[in-house]
Structures are given as C-alpha cells and as structure tokens.
Amino acid sequence: MALGTNSFQLLSNIATNDKHGENSPYFDGWKAYESNPFHPTKNPQGVIQMGLAENQLCFDLIEEWIINNPKASICTPEGVKWFKYIANFQDYHGLPEFRNAVANFMSKVRGGRVRFDPDRILMGGGATGANELIMFCLADPGDAFLVPSPYYPAFVRDLCWRTKARLIPVECHSSNNFNITREALEEAYSKAKDGNINVKGLIITNPSNPLGTTMDRETLKSIVGFINEKNIHLVCDEIYAATVFRAPCFVSVSEVMQDVEHCNKDLIHIVYSLSKDLGIPGFRVGIVYSYNDKVVNNGRKMSSFGLVSSQTQYLLAALLSDDEFVERFLAESARRLAARHNHFTKGLEKVNITCLPSNAGLFVWMNLRGLLKEKTFEGEMMLWRVIINEVKLNVSPGSAFNCSEPGWYRVCFDNMDDETVDVAVKRIRAFVGKETGKPVELKRWKSNLRLSFSSRRFDENVMSPHMMSPHSPMPHSPLVRAT
Amino acid sequence: MLSRKASEDSHGQDSYYFLGWQEYEKNPYHLIRNPTGIIQMGLAENQLSFDLLKSWLRRNPDIVGMKKDGLSSLVLDHEVISYGELVEFMSKIRGNGVKFAPEKLVLTAGATHANEIMMFCLADPGEAFILPTPYYPGFDRDLKWRTGVEIVPMHCSSSNGFRITSSSLEEAYQKAQKLNLKVKGVFVTNPSNPLGITMTKTELYHLIDFAIEKNIHIISDEIYSGTVFNSPKFVSIMEVANERTSNMNNVRNRIHIVYSLSKDLGVPGFRVGMIYSNNEMLVGAATKMSSFGLVSSQTQYLVANLLKDKKFTSKYIEENQRRLKRRKEMLKSGLRNAGIRCLKSNAGLFCWVDMRHLLSSATFEAEKELWMMILCHVGLNISPGSSCHCYEPGWFRVCFANMSEDTLKLAMRRMKAFIDSTVSVVNQGKGCTYEQSVNAIRELRSWQMHGIRQIIGDHSDIGDWPRGESVTHAFRVLAVSNEER
C-alpha cells in the first residue's frame, strides 16, 4: 500500500500526532520481552515481564465463585432465561443491580466508612475510558490539570490525547518519600497561572502508581482544601484501593470530604475500576463517581461510548453482592499481596536493594540510584537498558513516570507466580553481585513450574507498543502447566 | 465550571426522538399490567431470534469455559476472540461477496464507539462529513459531540425513493464550501436507517466517484447488513471497491466499514462493534483509540464460540432474515389496512412510513402534532422523520422487530382505530372536499392540542417541553373530556 505524505493528510491531527505516547523509547523494554519472553522450561533465559501492573494472585477465587454460581452467567442452563433481557439491555444507566453492587463494593473497600449512591455511578471503558470521560466533562481543549509526579505514563494518552487537555506535573521528591506538599501544589499552580494556562483541576492517584503508597488523611485534607480554595476540580483515581495490604489503611477522598469546612462537593470526582482490585482487566469495568449532578447527567450520556457489556454487568452484580465472598476475597487478596510483597522485597534486601516503603499497589518503587554510573537520566536509561538486555527483566524507568530524580524504577511482581519471582530475584542479586563485586548464592532450579500468565495487552505497561501490528503474530502465553 | 461539552446540550439528546423514549418509559405497554400503555415502536432492536441463541447455549453448556481453559485467560487477556472468525462472519453476512483480512479489523465497544473513533481519526474539529438524510438521530451525538466534527446533511427526496445521486452529493459539497467547512468524507448507512433499503450498485459507484474526485473518505456503517430479508441482495461498498479496477486512485485507502453485532445478532447489550479498513495507518490509530472502549473478554469468549459454530451461524442468518421478512409484511399490511403506505424496503428492523396525507399541513409543525397524537392518543412511540433530519414532513420510522406478534397486531389495530376516527370526523358527509378534510383535521388537531396545552401549559416548541411532565396523563384527561364532547 502506498503511504506517502498524502496519507498523513488523509487522517486527522489526533490520529497522526504522537500524543498517544506510544512512540517513546521505553517501548524497547516491551519489544525485548515480546521477542524473548521468559518460560521456565522452554525459555528460562528469556525476559521476565515486570512492567505490567496486573493482579494475578487471586483469580482462582473468582474462578471458584463463578463455577459455584452458574446462575450469574447468562450462558449456563441456570442463567439462560435471562439471556434475552440482558443481551438486549443497552441502557447507559447500567443495570440497577450492577450499580448497587458496585456502590456496595466500593463502600466495603473503604471499610464501610462511607456510603456511595448508585445513581452517581457512571460506566467507562475501563479506567482508561473513565479517565478520558471525566476529562471530557471537566476540561476544554487547552485547559490544564495538575498531576503530582511520578505519575502513570498513560495519563498522557488517557487525559490529553483526544481531549486536548494538558498535564502540569507537580514535582515530588524522595527527600520526603515523594509526598505531595501544599508548597509544591501552590508553586505549580502559580507558575501555570503566570504562563496564562487555565488550570481546571488536580488529578491524584491514591494509592499511588508507581509509588505503591497511600495518602494520609492530613495530606488529603490539605489537597481538598487546596482545590476548594482555588475552585478547581479534584479527580481521585482510586483504582488500587483494595490492593492495600498493610497499614496504614486506605483513606478515600470520600471520607475526607466531610472533614473539610465548606467543601464544595461539585468539585470532587472519583475514578474507579475493578481491574486491579479484583484482577479482571479483561472485563473493562471503569467507573466514574461524581458528586457533581451535571457531570453525572452529561457524563452518563458520554458513557455510551464505553459501556460495560451487559453480560459482564450481570455477572459482577451477582459477584459483588455476595457479601460473604467479597469479605473473604478482600481479606485473602490483601494477605497474598502482602506475602508476595514480602517475598520480593526481602529477597532484594539481602543485596541492599531498597524500595520506597509501600503498603499498596502491584509493584515497588525500587531505588537503584546507587548503581547509576552517572546520576542523570542518561545514566538511568543506560542502567535500564542493561537491566533489559543483560539481566533480562522488563522494568520501568522512573523517567517514564516523569519522576524528577533519576535512579528509580517501578518493578511489578503480582503478574507472575512465586517461582518466576524467585528467578527475578536471583537475577537481580546476581547482577548486583557483579556490579558490586560481591558473589551471590544461586539456588537450584525447580523442575515442576507453572508459567505465570502474561497478557498481550499493554495498557498497564508503561507504554503500549501499538507501533507493532495490532494483531501481532506473537502467540498468547496461556496458563501452562508444565508437567 | 465544567467543560463546554458537559455544559451544553450539544449531545443531541433533547430531540423528541429521545422524548418519545422517555414518555414510553413512564407508561410502557404490558399485556397484563398495562394494556393501555405506550407501545415502543421507536427502538430498532432485533428481538425475533433469541430462541435460536438460547437453544444454542443450551446445546453448548461449557460456554463459560471454566472447566477447560480456566478463568485466567478470560479475565486477564484483552484479546480472546479470533479476528479470523469475526471477518469470516462479516463475509458470510455479505453473501461471501467479499473476503476480509483479520489484521484490518479493530474491535470496539459497540458501533457507537466505532463511529466516534472514525471521526476522531479522520477529521479535525470544525471539519465535516456529509450524511445523506434521513439519518439515525444518534449520529448527532456519536459523530459530533466530543469530536467537534460537523455534519453537512445531504437531502434525499421521496421523488426518487430517497436515493443518493451525484447531483445531491455535489450540492451538499457546495453547501459545505459556502459555509467554509472542509469536507473530509461521506458517511452512509447501508442498509439505511431509517429507510430500510440497501444501496444500489449505481449509488455505490456515485459515492466512490465522488470520493475520488474530492479526495475524501467514505465510511459505510453496515450494522444492518445481516437484516436484509428481500432482494436486492446486500452489496457492501468493499465489494464494489474490489470489483472496480480502473481509476481507483488510492480511494481504497479511504473506504472504511463500521460493523456491529447489535442488530444482526440482536445483542446490543454486549457492546461488540468493529472498524474495518484497508488503511494501515487508520487501523493503527483506531486500535490505539479502542483502548477507551474494548470489548469485555467475557463477551469476546461467548461470541468467539458462537461464531466458530459455522452451521449455527448460517442457520441463524437465514432464519432470522425469514422472520424479519414476515414481521415486516405484517406491519406493512396492517398499515395498508389503515390506508397508510411504506417505502418499499428490503432490510432493517423498521419501515419508513408515509403519513403525509394525515398532516393538517405540509409542515414540520404539523408532523410534530401528528407525532404527539400518535404517541399520546394512539399510544405508539414512533420516530418522526424530522428527528432523522428528513427534508420532507410526514414520514415516520416504525420499528417492528422489538415486540411480539400480538403486540404488533395490537399496534396496528390502534392505528386503524385512530385513522378511522380521524376520517369519521373529517368525512361528516359525502362529497367532502379536500380542503374541507384538511380544515376538519386542523380543527380536530387544534382542539386536541388546545386540550393538551391547557393541561400542561403552552409550549410552542417541543424542545421546551418540560421533561418531568407526563404528556400521557394530559391525554388521559383529554380522552375523558373527549367523551363528554
């Protein structure tokens, strides 16, 4: 097919610019993984995917529930009488029982300390769609949102690409564990104003991606105070809320609102999803919860562009209404996340690799500043390439998250099984040993391994490499039981 | 405080296409619970063949797939379905007249999402697409709202069966030029909603010639392609594009199809839409954008298994078309019985009904009045042509596939009773002149409208109609006072 400059003109600006963020050099990490994916027996020297923030620790619990509750599926003999009604249901309000169940679940995740109104729940195509939707509701082209750094790289695509809004980073520093300070917010805000940029709001991710930390009550109150004072919106992306695995417990903005004097509720919006908390990213359940009636009314119409499949709504309505299951799941999930976190971080401590102390998320924010040859972002990239190509781990460098200091890396570990974690830790230890000149002991390889599943979709990765053919010949990596 | 998009009413959802829907929601017909309620005939849904799907499910109980593959692939992967199966199905629907390649397909959360993506990919804000009228009212939202793209309507006329002609294309283009709008393409729905007709090869050639001449795109929304129940058979634009070899001048890069399973398989709740294009760059861009609304993997799994059963899909397509044909004939003859004609159609889930002779005047105001009569006095929610941007007043879209046969028959009885009562008021004696008939209808209408306004308040434009009021309640009162007259 002839593609010349004429082809560029055929498409829109949005379709031909690179504001989707997928052309960045960080794509190399994914490329390295895709061309050489780790497999315990078939490719034990392959690249381990540690750039994918997915929760694969608890799908056995969900699987068990689905098998034991055939009525929740419209395809089983027990549930098929609902098939016609559900298959036909395309109301953008969503199934009432689905919204009730989601409101109920969101409340449980917050320890029952706050109740949610099902009529304020809007659907979005995953958190990706939900983030874009709220942006379309709050910002006109050219308007800006403040965002504390380091932040999830795909915010550039989700919040800015088609909405034409812009992001203004608010720098956070390791000196105070990357906490957001009022000073930093004020500074970023003033600078924007001086530059004649119209700041419409602030977006925070709590628990944080990539830090894995939750915000304390005081910081949240300060933030709510800040946005009220400036009369700008606050969007809280709380998609990791139920990945909190140890104290301090999660505090949602919904809990803090009532503590702030004269808080204008019309400014507060929550983005949520079931992808991380329940580990079901394939189901594309994104939620916008707004305290602003107009946002709810108009946003609801916008949700037509990314409704949750009615079949999925129906299943999840039943799953999330099963209080006994939900409570058991949340407890067990937290336990497994904690165990995995310990497993990984303890393994690293032995070679003096530290991570930012964290209590949530599906990753750690690893401090490799000591290994940088130069304390610059070039140095960070150089080390990153070594980690990809020699240590064979696809981790994500801090600069991808707009971190202000070089040397930090986000490393995911909930998207694999225990044995693969062991391999990863071994490799890190061997590498560090080489770097520091200290020998590190290697354990014997176990022969009966289960391969962890790795998704082909890249949204939770740093950057989605759609420069490749959308239907790459790379095969799926299904759950394989090596016998 | 909010964005302009969230503050204005530019989502196009206050047209009375949606108002009729709302009235229906307040007073929906039910055989036992609410036999005098409003019958929904404004919803283009295909409810005729669910039994086929249900019996397939009963024969394939392991569809949930837990036992074999385990849940992990289902919940974690974003691409469960084989695109090969999807394109094969698309091809089958088109009578295998054209083969599709899996790598040129993009999956999206419904055609709604696909159409918006097409706009984002092909046009910048302020640029325009030409749409033949009448067109699906939802396009005002789907194509324009968040994208900032303009629609330039291309008016089609009943004088030639609402067909697309080269001159009407050129006229629309010139109109756009005068308004300083850069036209990026033509957007057609084939088979047409609301007309229920398939485009002829001649029309498709005109379209392609036009696109070549102006160096613009063609988007063909083919979501009703599986609902073609009569000849002429469906011809996809892709088929014509492949057939022609001369003078194609890269236009193949600018021809794109939008498809969905919502109408053909009757599963709108599942949100399975797709874009098909030979343009690699477009496929790349659209794939990135599809992140904002992917198809649930749970649904992909179901659809994948369904489509793998080739015997079933062939049987389904055939039987479904047979049932649609029968249902359409039922509507057509019921309307004919009431002296009402439809545009001759061979596809879709609706008829394009000619009620021009029932208007008190050849105006949209009169059409609105007639629509309200039918909504509230007859109890049928049908869609007035003006909500579909039809250029001529008096046409209505009436759906027939979203209800039972008995309900359809009841709807026809109500229609007949209404027409008969109108006629009896009009024909007070023999030798009634046309002018006398028209005056009588006008008087009847204005008396009825006066009654409504007294109850609800005088609103000269339906757009001002207070949404919380029940028009139906007003008509109930009116019906009582009617008896007293």
Side-chain angles (χ1 to χ4, degrees):
Chain A
M1 185 174 347
L3 291 176
T5 49
N6 191 42
S7 305
F8 261 81
Q9 286 149 24
L10 291 180
L11 305 190
S12 66
N13 281 332
I14 290 181
T16 51
N17 67 25
D18 58 359
K19 295 205 164 65
H20 46 72
E22 292 182 15
N23 289 351
S24 81
Y26 310 111
F27 166 55
D28 293 349
W30 190 276
K31 237 200 277 186
Y33 165 74
E34 281 278 297
S35 56
N36 184 20
F38 169 81
H39 185 281
T41 48
K42 292 190 192 139
N43 191 17
Q45 302 309 317
V47 175
I48 298 179
Q49 174 63 280
M50 303 193 88
L52 193 58
E54 270 184 2
N55 182 356
Q56 297 184 20
L57 302 190
C58 285
F59 58 75
D60 59 315
L61 302 178
I62 306 226
E63 187 179 80
E64 189 190 2
W65 187 93
I66 292 180
I67 291 175
N68 292 334
N69 290 272
K71 262 203 204 145
S73 163
I74 52 175
C75 301
T76 56
E78 294 85 343
V80 79
K81 66 175 186 267
W82 285 103
F83 183 85
K84 178 173 167 173
Y85 176 74
I86 296 295
N88 229 15
F89 185 88
Q90 56 175 329
D91 183 347
Y92 58 33
H93 288 80
L95 281 175
E97 51 265 50
F98 172 69
R99 283 184 288 115
N100 288 339
V102 169
N104 186 38
F105 182 72
M106 284 174 71
S107 181
K108 282 213 156 47
V109 168
R110 289 149 185 78
R113 295 181 295 274
V114 62
R115 300 218 66 74
F116 292 94
D117 176 1
D119 289 336
R120 291 191 173 283
I121 286 178
L122 309 180
M123 294 181 282
T128 302
N131 273 320
E132 194 197 41
L133 193 153
I134 192 68
M135 215 56 180
F136 267 122
C137 287
L138 302 181
D140 286 312
D143 286 345
F145 257 68
L146 302 175
V147 56
S149 69
Y151 59 83
Y152 169 56
F155 271 166
V156 169
R157 175 194 64 188
D158 299 353
L159 305 175
C160 304
W161 186 25
R162 305 192 307 179
T163 62
K164 306 210 175 124
R166 45 197 291 187
L167 291 179
I168 296 180
V170 177
E171 279 187 14
C172 301
H173 302 282
S174 59
S175 50
N176 72 336
N177 286 330
F178 295 95
N179 276 315
I180 302 171
T181 62
R182 186 68 178 245
E183 294 75 34
L185 286 170
E186 296 281 0
E187 194 188 319
Y189 183 84
S190 307
K191 205 160 141 199
K193 282 304 211 188
D194 291 341
N196 264 326
I197 298 172
N198 188 24
V199 178
K200 276 317 262 300
L202 164 67
I203 179 163
I204 61 173
T205 306
N206 176 33
S208 163
N209 172 14
L211 304 176
T213 54
T214 50
M215 249 179 236
D216 62 67
R217 188 172 279 270
E218 285 316 303
T219 308
L220 266 173
K221 274 171 74 172
S222 169
I223 285 173
V224 173
F226 170 76
I227 58 112
N228 267 282
E229 187 191 299
K230 307 293 189 229
N231 199 28
I232 60 177
H233 292 279
L234 177 62
V235 176
C236 297
D237 184 332
E238 299 190 343
I239 69 171
Y240 289 97
T243 66
V244 175
F245 52 80
R246 67 167 171 236
C249 77
F250 176 61
V251 179
S252 162
V253 69
S254 50
E255 296 169 57
V256 157
M257 274 163 72
Q258 43 245 37
D259 292 346
V260 176
E261 237 179 84
H262 308 305
C263 178
N264 181 1
K265 286 190 161 180
D266 281 348
L267 298 174
I268 314 273
H269 323 273
I270 295 176
V271 166
Y272 188 56
S273 162
L274 300 179
S275 301
K276 313 296 181 186
D277 287 353
L278 285 186
I280 49 174
F283 285 7
R284 313 313 302 149
V285 182
I287 303 287
V288 170
Y289 187 94
S290 176
Y291 290 94
N292 182 318
D293 290 344
K294 201 144 192 191
V295 169
V296 169
N297 286 327
N298 274 331
R300 185 181 285 131
K301 296 173 177 90
M302 276 189 200
S303 63
S304 295
F305 298 111
L307 298 175
V308 176
S309 166
S310 54
Q311 178 194 16
T312 303
Q313 288 185 52
Y314 187 74
L315 175 76
L316 294 176
L319 183 99
L320 299 177
S321 302
D322 185 342
D323 285 338
E324 188 271 333
F325 167 77
V326 165
E327 276 156 29
R328 194 166 39 93
F329 179 93
L330 290 176
E332 179 61 17
S333 174
R335 198 193 64 75
R336 294 184 188 184
L337 288 168
R340 177 57 66 83
H341 182 267
N342 275 343
H343 179 180
F344 188 69
T345 49
K346 292 268 179 297
L348 298 181
E349 273 167 20
K350 296 197 175 122
V351 288
N352 293 322
I353 301 263
T354 55
C355 304
L356 185 74
S358 62
N359 62 326
L362 309 171
F363 33 72
V364 284
W365 190 234
M366 192 183 285
N367 181 357
L368 296 180
R369 289 179 294 182
L371 296 180
L372 295 184
K373 299 246 185 303
E374 310 158 13
K375 302 266 187 280
T376 60
F377 287 109
E378 288 72 31
E380 177 183 283
M381 287 304 284
M382 269 171 53
L383 177 60
W384 179 65
R385 288 193 200 285
V386 169
I387 297 175
I388 302 276
N389 296 320
E390 293 178 24
V391 190
K392 302 248 184 0
L393 302 177
N394 180 29
V395 302
S396 314
S399 45
F401 297 85
N402 240 282
C403 186
S404 53
E405 307 168 16
W408 294 89
Y409 298 78
R410 187 190 77 170
V411 183
C412 303
F413 45 72
D414 289 320
N415 59 314
M416 59 191 71
D417 57 26
D418 283 328
E419 290 78 12
T420 310
V421 173
D422 284 338
V423 175
V425 170
K426 262 198 284 280
R427 287 185 186 179
I428 296 174
R429 283 158 60 163
F431 172 65
V432 173
K434 259 199 309 217
E435 291 291 298
T436 59
K438 290 187 205 157
V440 174
E441 193 196 306
L442 296 173
K443 284 201 192 131
R444 276 183 59 84
W445 183 263
K446 284 200 276 194
S447 56
N448 58 331
L449 292 183
R450 228 179 46 184
L451 175 70
S452 71
F453 179 84
S454 317
S455 169
R456 270 214 296 134
R457 193 72 189 195
F458 317 122
D459 289 334
E460 288 75 18
N461 190 18
V462 173
M463 293 296 169
S464 358
H466 282 289
M467 288 304 284
M468 290 164 69
S469 159
H471 314 301
S472 155
M474 292 303 294
H476 285 283
S477 310
L479 194 76
V480 166
R481 291 178 207 285
T483 51
Chain B
M1 258 275 78
L2 304 187
S3 68
R4 275 190 289 277
K5 290 177 181 69
S7 311
E8 292 163 357
D9 290 327
S10 49
H11 46 71
Q13 208 161 298
D14 291 328
S15 78
Y16 42 104
Y17 171 79
F18 293 101
L19 279 172
W21 209 322
Q22 281 172 24
E23 279 311 306
Y24 163 76
E25 292 280 297
K26 287 180 203 152
N27 180 25
Y29 166 79
H30 186 275
L31 175 65
I32 296 161
R33 289 197 294 262
N34 191 17
T36 57
I38 297 179
I39 297 176
Q40 174 64 283
M41 304 190 88
L43 206 50
E45 274 178 4
N46 182 0
Q47 294 188 24
L48 302 189
S49 303
F50 277 116
D51 59 312
L52 301 178
L53 291 173
K54 278 165 79 164
S55 67
W56 184 89
L57 287 169
R58 288 201 173 94
R59 288 194 310 274
N60 295 271
D62 189 34
I63 184 59
V64 186
M66 292 300 116
K67 301 165 185 84
K68 274 195 306 222
D69 303 332
L71 185 70
S72 57
S73 57
L74 196 71
V75 298
L76 295 171
D77 203 3
H78 296 251
E79 276 169 26
V80 171
I81 199 167
S82 144
Y83 283 40
E85 298 288 350
L86 276 172
V87 297
E88 225 181 285
F89 181 74
M90 277 176 75
S91 189
K92 187 184 278 193
I93 289 267
R94 286 155 182 75
N96 291 313
V98 59
K99 284 237 133 346
F100 295 100
E103 67 273 9
K104 297 181 181 179
L105 196 70
V106 180
L107 266 191
T108 64
T112 303
H113 187 220
N115 282 325
E116 195 195 39
I117 287 181
M118 291 307 295
M119 290 298 107
F120 271 124
C121 284
L122 299 182
D124 290 316
E127 293 182 336
F129 263 76
I130 293 174
L131 265 70
T133 69
Y135 63 77
Y136 163 57
F139 281 155
D140 290 323
R141 175 196 64 192
D142 299 352
L143 305 183
K144 290 169 53 169
W145 189 18
R146 305 191 308 180
T147 61
V149 172
E150 294 296 337
I151 291 178
V152 175
M154 180 190 100
H155 294 301
C156 299
S157 152
S158 59
S159 60
N160 75 336
F162 295 95
R163 297 281 170 192
I164 294 172
T165 61
S166 304
S167 51
S168 51
L169 282 166
E170 184 62 41
E171 199 183 307
Y173 189 86
Q174 292 308 325
K175 189 164 63 175
Q177 301 286 89
K178 283 206 185 73
L179 296 170
N180 263 327
L181 290 172
K182 179 162 185 211
V183 173
K184 289 310 279 285
V186 184
F187 187 112
V188 299
T189 309
N190 178 29
S192 161
N193 173 14
L195 303 174
I197 57 178
T198 48
M199 282 173 74
T200 61
K201 271 200 175 173
T202 310
E203 284 177 287
L204 291 168
Y205 282 135
H206 286 323
L207 206 54
I208 292 182
D209 287 336
F210 185 71
I212 292 173
E213 186 201 323
K214 309 291 187 199
N215 196 28
I216 59 177
H217 295 270
I218 300 172
I219 299 174
S220 180
D221 182 334
E222 300 188 347
I223 68 173
Y224 289 97
S225 43
T227 67
V228 178
F229 49 76
N230 246 344
S231 60
K233 77 172 180 73
F234 177 65
V235 179
S236 165
I237 192 158
M238 219 44 104
E239 202 176 319
V240 166
N242 290 347
E243 260 172 24
R244 276 173 65 151
T245 44
S246 65
N247 199 28
M248 283 305 274
N249 205 14
N250 271 340
V251 75
R252 276 193 199 92
N253 256 1
R254 303 198 300 277
I255 296 178
H256 323 281
I257 291 178
V258 165
Y259 185 57
S260 159
L261 299 182
S262 300
K263 310 296 178 185
D264 289 352
L265 281 187
V267 292
F270 289 178
R271 316 314 299 147
V272 182
M274 50 207 95
I275 291 168
Y276 185 89
S277 175
N278 292 315
N279 187 320
E280 210 177 272
M281 274 185 68
L282 177 82
V283 170
T287 303
K288 293 179 181 70
M289 289 193 191
S290 67
S291 294
F292 296 110
L294 298 169
V295 179
S296 167
S297 52
Q298 182 195 19
T299 301
Q300 286 188 45
Y301 190 84
L302 166 62
V303 169
N305 279 282
L306 199 71
L307 298 186
K308 262 193 218 133
D309 189 339
K310 307 278 190 268
K311 240 172 91 181
F312 170 75
T313 53
S314 296
K315 181 168 163 254
Y316 179 94
I317 292 170
E318 196 187 303
E319 176 63 18
N320 182 46
Q321 287 168 358
R322 197 190 65 76
R323 294 180 185 187
L324 286 170
K325 179 174 179 171
R326 185 187 138 86
R327 191 56 79 82
K328 182 255 162 131
E329 290 303 320
M330 210 180 278
L331 175 67
K332 185 170 148 194
S333 62
L335 289 173
R336 195 172 43 221
N337 209 17
I340 299 173
R341 298 220 296 256
C342 310
L343 183 74
K344 181 156 185 238
S345 65
N346 65 327
L349 310 172
F350 32 73
C351 282
W352 188 236
V353 178
D354 185 354
M355 297 205 212
R356 289 175 291 177
H357 61 294
L358 297 176
L359 297 184
S360 58
S361 60
T363 61
F364 287 109
E365 186 60 47
E367 180 188 276
K368 206 190 301 180
E369 280 176 9
L370 179 59
W371 171 72
M372 276 202 285
M373 283 310 120
I374 296 174
L375 176 65
C376 306
H377 205 47
V378 186
L380 305 179
N381 179 32
I382 61 178
S383 310
S386 46
S387 68
C388 303
H389 300 277
C390 184
Y391 210 46
E392 306 168 18
W395 292 89
F396 292 77
R397 189 190 78 170
V398 182
C399 299
F400 54 69
N402 63 308
M403 65 197 70
S404 69
E405 262 186 33
D406 287 338
T407 307
L408 181 60
K409 284 177 184 157
L410 171 64
M412 293 299 96
R413 283 199 298 275
R414 286 186 185 180
M415 198 66 199
K416 173 123 172 80
F418 169 69
I419 298 295
D420 285 348
S421 73
T422 305
V423 166
S424 74
V425 165
V426 167
N427 292 343
Q428 269 144 26
K430 278 193 180 154
C432 191
T433 65
Y434 174 72
E435 201 186 300
Q436 282 172 321
S437 311
V438 165
N439 286 335
I441 291 180
R442 236 184 232 140
E443 195 199 291
L444 174 68
R445 294 282 177 267
S446 91
W447 174 81
Q448 286 168 329
M449 286 311 296
H450 175 71
I452 298 170
R453 288 200 183 96
Q454 279 201 308
I455 293 158
I456 288 175
D458 193 349
H459 296 273
S460 50
D461 186 291
I462 190 75
D464 296 328
W465 206 274
R467 286 184 252 307
E469 296 293 328
S470 174
V471 171
T472 317
H473 167 75
F475 270 92
R476 284 215 183 100
V477 172
L478 182 65
V480 167
S481 55
N482 199 5
E483 277 159 28
E484 290 163 17
R485 190 183 187 225

